[in-house]
Amino acid sequence: MVFLSVRVDKDLNAIKGGGACHLREKVIAEAASTFIVVADYRKNSEFLGTNWAPGVPVEVVPFAYAKVLRDLQTLGSTNAALRMAVKKAGPVVTDNGNFVIDAPFGRQDFLDPASVLTKIKLLTGVVEVGLFCNIVKAAYFGNADGSVTIKKVDGTVEELVPSTS
């Protein structure tokens, strides 16, 4: 399975969810025998949260969004906010009829993104979280010069340079 448009850290943890399909994306990713992500070089970072200002996308049941917002603020996401729609009134609604909260956390929190994922998932009202920890096997980054950087789960990094023929 390949996902596009993610933010990936040095350990191949990823943030995905700008399109508000967290639950479905996570089900597909976990069902895949191999999970690979593809992104451009701007989404390759040492730590999550350093080049994605909105933060961690969190899918929540509508009834619980106010409580989950407070809980996320208690966990350290002081600027957590309900994602509002752009071309319609009201919040963004996921494919499953839920709301999305964008929860930015600091760099210190992202030293252990799996811990952030676990803490958020334990909040009552949370359906799914746009953090993909310990499931990405490889990440392919298209670079501005046309080359491709491949980062693998075993820590190896490979550079593919376009042929000039």
Side-chain angles (χ1 to χ4, degrees):
M1 170 54 59
V2 176
F3 272 12
L4 303 174
S5 191
V6 299
R7 274 72 180 167
V8 183
D9 73 6
K10 63 182 174 50
D11 297 318
L12 298 184
N13 297 300
I15 292 179
K16 175 106 177 81
C21 306
H22 314 83
L23 179 61
R24 293 173 188 224
E25 289 175 338
K26 189 73 68 89
V27 168
I28 291 168
E30 290 180 0
S33 58
T34 304
F35 181 48
I36 297 170
V37 297
V38 177
D40 70 55
Y41 67 95
R42 296 169 296 174
K43 296 175 182 175
N44 182 3
S45 62
E46 182 152 353
F47 298 99
L48 295 178
T50 57
N51 62 356
W52 179 239
V56 178
V58 181
E59 185 171 344
V60 299
V61 294
F63 176 76
Y65 87 88
K67 175 212 166 292
V68 174
L69 268 173
R70 285 192 305 274
D71 292 343
L72 287 166
Q73 291 168 351
T74 300
L75 288 179
S77 182
T78 55
N79 293 319
L82 184 63
R83 187 183 297 173
M84 299 306 287
V86 176
K87 302 223 179 207
K88 72 170 194 80
V92 168
V93 178
T94 69
D95 295 347
N96 299 306
N98 297 311
F99 291 168
V100 177
I101 294 173
D102 291 311
F105 285 89
R107 179 176 173 192
Q108 191 67 28
D109 296 302
F110 282 119
L111 295 177
D112 185 4
S115 175
V116 174
L117 170 62
T118 300
K119 289 175 186 175
I120 296 171
K121 283 283 287 196
L122 288 173
L123 299 176
T124 302
V126 170
V127 175
E128 195 48 79
V129 181
L131 280 171
F132 292 74
C133 299
N134 304 314
I135 62 173
V136 176
K137 301 301 180 201
Y140 289 68
F141 299 98
N143 299 310
D145 64 0
S147 66
V148 175
T149 301
I150 305 169
K151 293 167 74 172
K152 297 181 181 175
V153 72
D154 65 5
T156 60
V157 178
E158 185 179 343
E159 296 289 331
L160 300 178
V161 180
S163 65
T164 56
S165 54

